[in-house]
Every structure is written in C-alpha cells, then in structure tokens.
C-alpha cells in the first residue's frame, strides 16, 4: 500500500471517518498479501468489516484530542491481518506440558504411542472392517475388535470398550441396578474432576444409593446389614484423586465378592484410572491392577482408557460372561459407543501391553511416570544451554530439584522426583511470564512455585525443549522496550 495520504486530519472526526479506507481497498490489500493466501474470502470479508466497524464506532463515541494523528491505513490493515490470522488458527492447538503433571486432564490426559497414532491415521483414511466380519462376509461387531485383547490382558471372561469411563459406569449401573439399591461405602462417594460424582451418576442410572459405613471406616458388617432383596449391586469405587489416611478401615474387594456371591448380588469395582502394570515394581506407590480386581472375583471392573493406561479416551468394562452379556444388550451402548479412531488407538495401546518392558518405553504416559532421572536432567541441561545462548542480561535460569505428579486422579499422594528449569526475567513477574508463554505457539504451560516460573522437564518431549527456548526468546523480544 502507498504511504501517501495515510495520515488524516487531526481533531476532525468527520474527516477521519471519511478517510477510513474502503472495504474494497482492504479486501484488495488482503488478496495481495502472501501471508493471507489461504484465507477464504468469507473470512477476509468479515474481518475487514469487523475491524472497520470497530474503528468507526470508536471514532463516533469519543472526541479525538487535538493532536490525534488518526489511524493510518497500514495500522488498520495490520489489525485486519491479525484478525484474519487468529480466525484461521486452529482452536485446538499444541500445548507444551511443562507442568510435570503426567496425566493432565486439561491438556488432553494421555498422549499416544507412535503405533497408536499410526493405527489411528490408517483407520481414519481408509475403510476398515469396523463392523464387518471378513472371514464370514457378514456384519460384525465393533466391540469384538478389542474384546479378546482385554480378556487376555486382564483375565476377564468378557469385555467391551465404550466412549469413556463415566459412560462405562453409567451403563453398568443402568444394566444391573436400575430401580434397585447399590451399596457403596461412604468413604468412596467421590467427585472426580469435571463434575463426575458417583451419587449423581447413580441417580441418572435410576439406581438407588445405599451408603454404608463412615467416611474413614467401613466394615464388613456394614455391607452385610445393608444387603436385602432390594440390593442390585455391591460397588467399590477407587478414591482416585484423594487418599484417606490415619484411622481407616475398608473392606477389600475379595471380601465384597464373597458377600456378593453369598447373597447372589453382583459386585462391581470402578477403578477409575485402572492400570495393567504393577507400578510398585518401578519404584512408585502401589495401585491396584485390573488383573487383581478380576482375580479377586469382581463381576464387573471399569476403568479409563486415557489415564494410567496411556491410551485414547475410552471406558473399558471387563467382567464375567453372564453379566457382560446383559451389559452388551443394553440399548444405552448405542449412545455410548466407541468411535473407530479411538478403537484403533486403543487396540494398538492394548497390544503393547503384551510385552510390558516395551510398553513402559513406547507408551508415553508409562514412560514419563517411570523414566530415569538422568533423562530428565539431560533435557534440563539442554534447555539451560539453549536459554544461555539467547544472551539477554534480563534472563536467568537454573536447574532445581522438584517433584512431578501423576495426575488424572491417579496415585494422588505420589511425588515423583524431577528436575525443573527455573526461569526468571528481570522486571517480569512469574505470573506475567506464565501468561506470556501461554500466548506463544506452541503454547507453553509450566508451574509457578514460590513466585518462580518452573519448566518441569518430565512431561516435556525431547523436541519440545528447543520450542520452549524459542518461546522464551520471543517473549523477551516482545517485551523489549
Ligand atoms: C476418572 C474417573 C472416572 C471417569 O472416567 P472418564 O474416563 O474420565 O470418563 C470414573 N470413576 C473414577 C473413580 C475415576 O477416577
């Protein structure tokens, strides 16, 4: 655009309004801008209108001061370009997880293994045998795709996967306990993040909650005296995101299974996170495994696909043949059905568990939870090296010892020793840094401890180290006066 005639007359609102560039001239400028080559005309048009309208409104609503030079055409076009670019940018975008929370629900919980991603892409771009039995040339069921694998890995007689674990719990309660009482310990009436409360799900399923025991202590006799002809289910819920410590008592799943058998009432455990590996073998605290719950005699076990399992969002139900048969026939399954892309990712994730050593390396969630400290330290050193190369006096950084968390309502009390890079910028608060780094693309989100911005390298992927350094560099250049 030419710079001529750019400045409009001072202190003359009418003149300023008249001199605003026309919609056409701005559309032309946008069409010539190579940075906007991909922008559809409709997006450009509405951005031009929005920006010009806003400027017009602003001019009408205030009296410009005598020395106001008015807004230049270039400045208007820059605003329009920003509008277009932000309209074109995807809303779901890459965030570098420097929080040290491995299963971070707000950041998408688990990231997938290479194999799971590849399988998902293949299932997305081609037709598949999703519901087609290739051997017999007849209609098949999507639920058969992972059933055998789940049974093999957990020891269950039958299994299915649905949209998520909240759905799995709802489906199971609706199937076995609609209109009947579900006996649950008061210590297990939990709320999981994202408004999932056991009592509310129970109410939605039409089951009647029968609380027993107290918050910290529930005994076998509490269950026994609650069981009647109205009992539809004995339910155990993993307390997930909190721990009850001190003077506590709870009834083990084995005892519950025995009581259930005696009374002819099915027993279900909602494991929440659910894991197929015994984390105590890797130096972490013990989490009950799905295999143990199945072996303890639970008729139904439910757990998430994207928490400690490290797969896609899904709810997995493993259980005894007769109960699973009823669950599979419930029409609700249609509303909760698992999507084919999820199914592809879930299958690959489950397959990896056949070789646990390889699962620990290839499933990112498992790797991040158990990786050697030396790996984390190496990334921290690389980051401080790159930050040092920025060569800006305002920037200081150092490696500190800290603790990461498992997240996702799993292993709530566990602290994982980690290394963080503490980054400070002169005259910029940690909160301001945090805000500034979130505006970068990819966005960087870390954590603030004692007024210092920390990058926890446990959850940062190797190729993201450079991206963090670039983001800090851009933040510095954006804030230079
Ligand atoms: C997380 C959790 C759920 C919900 O699982 P989603 O996969 O998020 O739907 C249910 N129950 C427990 C105990 C949980 O921890």
């Amino acid at each position: 655009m030419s710079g001529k005639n750019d400045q409009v007359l001072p202190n003359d609102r009418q003149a300023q309004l008249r001199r605003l560039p026309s919609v056409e001239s701005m559309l032309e400028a946008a069409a010539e801008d190579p940075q906007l080559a991909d922008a559809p005309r409709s997006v450009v048009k509405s951005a031009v209108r929005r920006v010009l309208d806003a400027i017009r409104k602003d001019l009408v609503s205030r009296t410009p001061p005598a020395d106001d030079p008015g807004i230049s055409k270039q400045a208007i076009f820059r605003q329009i370009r920003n509008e277009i670019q932000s309209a074109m940018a995807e809303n779901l975008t890459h965030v570098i997880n420097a929080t040290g929370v491995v299963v971070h629900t707000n950041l998408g919980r688990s990231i997938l293994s290479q194999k799971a991603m590849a399988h998902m892409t293949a299932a997305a771009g081609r037709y598949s045998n999703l519901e087609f039995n290739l051997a017999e040339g007849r209609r098949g069921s999507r639920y058969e795709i992972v059933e055998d694998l789940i049974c093999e890995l957990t020891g269950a007689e039958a299994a299915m996967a649905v949209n998520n674990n909240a759905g799995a719990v709802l489906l199971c309660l609706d199937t076995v306990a609609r209109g009947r009482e579900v006996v649950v310990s008061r210590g297990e009436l939990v709320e999981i993040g994202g408004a999932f409360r056991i009592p509310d799900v129970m109410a939605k399923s039409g089951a009647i909650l029968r609380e027993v025991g107290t918050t910290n202590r529930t005994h076998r006799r509490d269950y026994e005296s609650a069981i009647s002809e109205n009992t539809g289910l004995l339910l155990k819920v993993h307390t997930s995101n909190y721990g009850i410590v001190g003077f506590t008592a709870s009834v083990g799943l084995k005892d519950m299974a025995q009581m259930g058998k005696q009374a002819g009432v099915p027993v279900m455990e909602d494991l929440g996170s659910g894991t197929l590996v015994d984390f105590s073998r890797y130096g972490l605290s013990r989490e009950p495994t799905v295999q143990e719950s199945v072996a303890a005699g639970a008729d139904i076990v439910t757990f998430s696909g994207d928490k400690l399992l490290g797969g896609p969002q899904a709810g997995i139900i493993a259980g005894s043949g007769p109960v699973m048969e009823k669950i599979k026939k419930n029409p609700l399954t249609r509303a909760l059905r698992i999507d084919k892309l999820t199914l592809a990712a879930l299958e690959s994730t489950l397959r990896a568990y056949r070789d646990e050593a390889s699962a620990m390396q290839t499933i990112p969630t498992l790797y991040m939870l158990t990786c050697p400290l030396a790996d984390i330290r190496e990334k921290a050193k690389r980051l401080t090296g790159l930050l040092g190369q920025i060569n800006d006096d305002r920037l200081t950084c150092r490696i500190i010892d800290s603790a990461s968390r498992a997240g996702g309502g799993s292993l709530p009390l566990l602290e994982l020793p980690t290394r963080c890079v503490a980054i400070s910028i002169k005259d910029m608060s940690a909160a301001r840094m945090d805000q500034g780094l979130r505006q970068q693309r990819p966005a960087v989100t870390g954590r603030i401890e004692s007024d210092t911005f920390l990058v926890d390298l446990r959850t940062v992927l190797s190729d993201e180290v450079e991206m963090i350094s670039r983001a800090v560099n851009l933040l510095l250049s954006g804030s230079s006066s």
Side-chain angles (χ1 to χ4, degrees):
M1 282 195 313
S2 87
K4 254 185 279 164
N5 243 354
D6 243 350
Q7 308 295 353
V8 295
L9 288 173
N11 199 20
D12 185 337
R13 193 186 301 170
Q14 282 309 320
Q16 286 200 11
L17 282 169
R18 250 179 286 120
R19 299 267 188 126
L20 278 181
S22 66
V23 169
E24 282 67 36
S25 72
M26 290 289 103
L27 287 176
E28 264 166 43
E32 282 163 18
D33 189 326
Q35 284 187 57
L36 302 178
D38 292 339
R41 211 173 147 72
S42 61
V43 171
V44 174
K45 255 189 182 161
S46 84
V48 168
R49 291 237 164 78
R50 260 198 321 276
V51 169
L52 290 178
D53 280 354
I55 293 171
R56 215 171 279 126
K57 260 199 199 115
D58 178 58
L59 280 174
V60 170
S61 68
R62 71 186 173 98
T63 309
D67 56 353
D68 184 355
I71 182 165
S72 71
K73 274 187 186 177
Q74 274 101 340
I76 293 174
F77 185 68
R78 272 198 301 276
Q79 276 188 37
I80 290 170
R81 184 198 283 134
N82 286 344
E83 282 277 314
I84 295 169
Q85 283 176 334
S86 79
M88 293 294 290
E90 274 160 347
N91 291 334
L92 186 64
T93 187
H94 177 186
V95 175
I96 295 175
N97 177 7
T99 63
V101 179
V102 178
V103 182
H104 197 307
T105 295
N106 301 150
L107 305 182
R109 287 199 181 155
S110 284
I111 57 175
L112 298 176
S113 69
Q114 294 293 329
K115 275 200 174 144
M117 283 190 280
H119 196 181
M120 200 164 170
T121 306
R126 308 257 184 205
Y127 292 107
S128 63
N129 61 339
L130 180 66
E131 292 186 351
F132 184 53
N133 184 319
L134 287 172
E136 296 168 26
R138 58 168 174 87
R139 198 194 145 103
S141 160
R142 70 177 66 209
Y143 294 110
E144 284 164 15
I145 288 169
V146 288
E147 178 164 25
D148 290 351
L149 261 172
I150 300 170
C151 292
E152 174 190 322
L153 294 167
T154 65
E157 287 170 13
M160 78 186 293
V162 294
N163 178 58
N164 61 6
N165 189 35
V169 173
L170 177 70
L171 174 64
C172 295
L173 291 176
D174 182 87
T175 308
V176 301
R178 163 168 290 274
R180 314 192 66 191
E181 288 184 356
V182 177
V183 183
V184 194
S185 160
R186 287 200 167 86
E188 298 170 3
L189 291 173
V190 294
E191 172 179 315
I192 320 295
F196 177 89
R197 285 175 163 193
I198 287 293
D200 296 346
V201 177
M202 196 93 68
K204 272 282 167 227
S205 73
I208 302 149
L209 176 61
R210 181 82 158 85
E211 303 171 38
V212 295
T214 60
T215 304
N216 58 330
R217 290 173 73 83
T218 301
H219 306 278
R220 195 181 162 115
R221 60 174 184 276
D222 294 324
Y223 287 94
E224 281 167 345
S225 56
I227 295 174
S228 71
E229 66 275 17
N230 297 326
T231 308
L233 182 73
L234 304 186
L235 174 65
K236 189 168 188 62
V237 183
H238 190 280
T239 50
S240 295
N241 46 11
Y242 80 112
I244 299 180
V245 293
F247 186 55
T248 67
S250 62
V251 177
L253 189 62
K254 239 187 190 140
D255 285 343
M256 287 179 65
Q258 203 186 32
M259 282 186 275
K261 205 152 268 153
Q262 256 171 25
V265 173
V267 174
M268 164 170 157
E269 178 164 44
D270 173 21
L271 276 175
S273 198
T275 170
L276 298 175
V277 300
D278 175 1
F279 280 105
S280 67
R281 293 184 46 210
Y282 300 89
L284 309 188
S285 43
R286 253 196 67 75
E287 268 286 287
T289 64
V290 180
Q291 300 89 299
E292 286 163 357
S293 298
V294 170
D299 299 283
I300 308 168
V301 182
T302 59
F303 57 103
S304 275
D306 56 354
K307 290 182 180 172
L308 289 180
L309 194 76
Q313 178 191 304
I316 299 170
I317 311 170
S320 72
V323 178
M324 289 305 302
E325 208 50 52
K326 278 192 221 152
I327 292 172
K328 287 177 186 169
K329 288 201 183 109
N330 189 329
L332 254 187
T333 54
R334 181 60 184 78
L336 298 168
R337 94 176 173 186
I338 190 166
D339 149 75
K340 67 177 176 182
L341 303 184
T342 308
L343 204 47
L346 183 62
E347 183 187 358
S348 294
T349 305
L350 290 168
R351 276 183 190 280
Y353 278 94
R354 284 174 158 173
D355 176 356
E356 187 175 305
S358 135
M360 300 311 285
Q361 294 298 315
T362 58
I363 296 176
T365 297
L366 297 183
Y367 181 75
M368 286 180 191
L369 286 168
T370 59
C371 69
L373 199 51
D375 275 25
I376 303 175
R377 199 186 301 124
E378 182 274 322
K379 284 185 280 185
K381 281 194 176 143
R382 203 143 48 84
L383 180 57
T384 51
L386 288 166
L387 292 173
Q389 284 169 24
I390 292 177
N391 224 341
D392 189 312
D393 292 343
R394 293 170 296 169
L395 180 66
T396 53
C397 65
R398 69 203 155 87
I399 298 175
I400 63 158
D401 295 359
S402 186
S404 325
R405 293 202 169 272
S410 40
L411 307 160
L413 305 177
L414 179 70
E415 296 204 323
L416 301 158
T418 191
R419 294 290 179 274
C420 293
V421 174
I423 307 176
S424 311
I425 295 175
K426 194 164 176 282
D427 297 329
M428 195 187 289
S429 67
R432 171 70 194 83
M433 269 185 73
D434 180 53
Q435 200 258 344
L437 289 171
R438 272 187 278 114
Q439 307 318 310
Q440 306 294 329
R441 291 296 175 271
V444 179
T445 177
R447 66 169 186 266
I448 297 175
E449 265 173 32
S450 9
D451 268 337
T452 310
F453 184 82
L454 301 186
V455 168
D456 187 332
L457 278 307
R458 177 183 296 277
T459 46
V460 173
L461 304 181
S462 186
D463 65 349
E464 291 176 335
V465 172
E466 285 75 13
M467 299 176 197
I468 295 175
S469 152
R470 220 175 303 139
V472 171
N473 202 354
L474 285 169
L475 180 65
L476 279 164
S477 47
S479 73
S480 58
S481 38

